[in-house]
Amino acid sequence: MRRSHGSILPVLVSLRLFAGYILLCAGSVLAGDRWQGRTYPAEDALAADNGQVFFITNTGGGGGSFGRGDIHGHLCDVDFANLQVGYACGAGGGVYKTEDGGLTWSRIKPNGSWQRIQAVTPDDVWLLEGIHPGGFGNVWLWHSADGGKTWNEVEELHGKLAGYGGKALYCRGARRWVLGGDFPTYRSDDGGKTWQAVNFQGLLYGVYDMAVPADIPTEEGFRVYVLGHQEGVKIAHLARSDDGGQNWQEVPLPAPAQEGMLTGGRVFFSTSDEGWVAGKSGCCFVTRDGGRTWQDRSLPTQQSVVALWFDQLGRGFAAVDNTDWLHLRQTVYMTADYGAHWVPVLGGYKQILSFCDLGPDHLWAVGYEPGLVSQDIVAILQSGCWKP
């Protein structure tokens, strides 16, 4: 059910007041880069107790079933370039752009099989498309330099990508990564001008997900974590690079974590040492020392984890599979204490598939309403949800 925009006035006020704070924090990352996590001054991690964590809206579609009306399918991914300009895309849905922080959206590409989207700047946008069937899958990487008005295929990768859209797309600063699942993964260090296949040096054969922490500078470059599996072995393995993907080392996972991600999993690192892995049956583990030790922080559900987001204070969200629309349950759980306690904060006719943030109080999520005819949804974090 769509709520009145008046119910999120605190969000709009927060956007203005918090803009200067975001600029002050920009020095915590490499100049011109924005990464998966955020680094900002520490404060007490307090659980939300205001009864409303997310404001729920959509990209503006409507109409009835059986093809009547402007149905906006479902959304797979979302990314914001700043507090106002963001992009979302979906397999079976279109590509959409917002210029008011997610309150209203305009379609910039028609319905298709759009898998992942990344916005380096408001104008510099990257889009991954994957279509099944077609051999090993037909996959294309598209780029727009004008905010989605025109798009060009990345010709150097034409015919090299496979796997029905790949597993992940990450574009920050001058770096570009396209994860290919059980097919080659490619990266670029010059803004997409040239590309090279990533050599995981025998540690990984297939890849599920990757994380680039907020505090990225190291003497060698920046740290990358990639979650996947070895050839012929369908249990999870985690690999780490401290030089931007040139060299890799294995990060040992406890046996329950490996077995909890037999066919896929999710990884998220809010700092170089503090990270999470999650998978089927609510399996979730956290490390605070770069993977030397892990703690079991599994969710109180048997649903598989499909998306993660955390800050470095142990506060965050885990989205779980809620696609069985005949037996709907929760779709998002929240924690404020590193997973020691999980609280359901979103459920019913909702499925969240992706998170994106621009600071501790600015987070968006996208997905869809499960059912015979799905409608996309956009969830916007309410201002002050971490305060008592």
Side-chain angles (χ1 to χ4, degrees), residues 362-376:
H362 303 292
L363 179 131
W364 298 262
V366 297
Y368 66 100
E369 298 174 350
L372 286 175
V373 180
S374 63
Q375 170 74 28
D376 65 29

Side-chain angles (χ1 to χ4, degrees), residues 134-175:
F136 293 119
N138 297 310
V139 181
W140 299 269
L141 180 62
W142 300 90
H143 177 234
S144 175
D146 55 13
K149 296 177 182 177
T150 60
W151 297 85
N152 295 295
E153 183 187 1
V154 177
E155 296 184 358
E156 186 175 342
L157 295 181
H158 180 79
K160 296 181 179 180
L161 301 177
Y164 312 121
K167 292 294 183 180
L169 171 67
Y170 289 93
C171 304
R172 293 292 181 261
R175 286 92 179 188

Side-chain angles (χ1 to χ4, degrees), residues 110-334:
N111 285 352
S113 188
W114 316 111
Q115 306 286 340
R116 299 287 183 267
I117 196 161
Q118 292 277 275
V120 181
T121 70
D123 292 328
D124 187 4
V125 189
W126 299 77
L127 177 66
L128 196 63
E129 178 184 13
I131 297 178
H132 174 75
F136 293 119
N138 297 310
V139 181
W140 299 269
L141 180 62
W142 300 90
H143 177 234
S144 175
D146 55 13
K149 296 177 182 177
T150 60
W151 297 85
N152 295 295
E153 183 187 1
V154 177
E155 296 184 358
E156 186 175 342
L157 295 181
H158 180 79
K160 296 181 179 180
L161 301 177
Y164 312 121
K167 292 294 183 180
L169 171 67
Y170 289 93
C171 304
R172 293 292 181 261
R175 286 92 179 188
R176 312 283 181 266
W177 288 69
V178 182
L179 270 66
D182 285 341
F183 299 92
T185 288
Y186 290 88
R187 68 179 178 89
S188 171
D189 295 327
D190 56 12
K193 296 176 183 177
T194 61
W195 295 80
Q196 58 182 302
V198 177
N199 181 2
F200 292 109
Q201 299 167 335
L203 295 178
L204 298 176
Y205 173 77
V207 292
Y208 310 142
D209 201 7
M210 68 178 290
V212 181
D215 54 336
I216 57 176
T218 67
E219 293 182 1
E220 299 83 9
F222 60 97
R223 182 166 291 183
V224 182
Y225 290 89
V226 176
L227 183 68
H229 66 87
Q230 296 179 344
E231 187 170 8
V233 181
K234 289 292 186 176
I235 60 174
H237 287 265
L238 184 64
R240 188 186 83 196
S241 172
D242 291 328
D243 55 11
Q246 296 286 348
N247 298 285
W248 296 87
Q249 57 182 297
E250 184 168 4
V251 179
L253 291 173
Q258 289 186 305
E259 297 166 0
M261 287 166 278
L262 296 177
T263 58
R266 293 293 178 263
V267 58
F268 191 100
F269 272 75
S270 52
T271 73
S272 291
D273 291 325
E274 189 171 293
W276 304 73
V277 294
K280 71 173 188 175
S281 301
C283 170
C284 189
F285 282 76
V286 62
T287 180
R288 301 176 69 179
D289 55 16
R292 288 188 292 275
T293 61
W294 294 86
Q295 292 178 303
D296 189 341
R297 290 293 183 261
S298 294
L299 281 75
T301 178
Q302 291 299 302
Q303 297 157 272
S304 296
V305 178
V306 297
L308 295 170
W309 177 86
F310 297 94
D311 64 16
Q312 76 271 31
L313 304 178
R315 310 179 302 187
F317 300 96
V320 298
D321 177 55
N322 192 37
T323 55
D324 183 358
W325 57 277
L326 295 177
H327 304 88
L328 293 170
R329 294 174 287 176
Q330 304 299 327
T331 187
V332 175
Y333 287 82
M334 180 176 72

Side-chain angles (χ1 to χ4, degrees), residues 16-39:
R16 297 189 181 97
L17 295 179
F18 206 68
Y21 175 68
I22 291 293
L23 291 175
L24 290 175
C25 295
S28 64
V29 298
L30 287 180
D33 285 8
R34 182 168 62 78
W35 300 87
Q36 186 184 63
R38 302 289 170 263
T39 300

Side-chain angles (χ1 to χ4, degrees), residues 1-9 11 51-61 75 101-105 317 331-332 345-355 363-370 375-383:
M1 180 176 67
R2 193 178 180 110
R3 295 170 59 93
S4 167
H5 286 172
S7 66
I8 59 165
L9 284 177
V11 175
Q52 181 65 37
V53 175
F54 289 100
F55 165 71
I56 305 297
T57 183
N58 57 43
T59 59
L75 297 175
L103 299 183
T104 61
W105 299 77
F317 300 96
T331 187
V332 175
V345 292
L346 199 61
Y349 281 94
K350 300 176 184 68
Q351 172 66 69
I352 294 300
L353 295 174
S354 179
F355 294 106
L363 179 131
W364 298 262
V366 297
Y368 66 100
E369 298 174 350
Q375 170 74 28
D376 65 29
I377 62 174
V378 177
I380 305 173
L381 187 69
Q382 292 279 40
S383 175

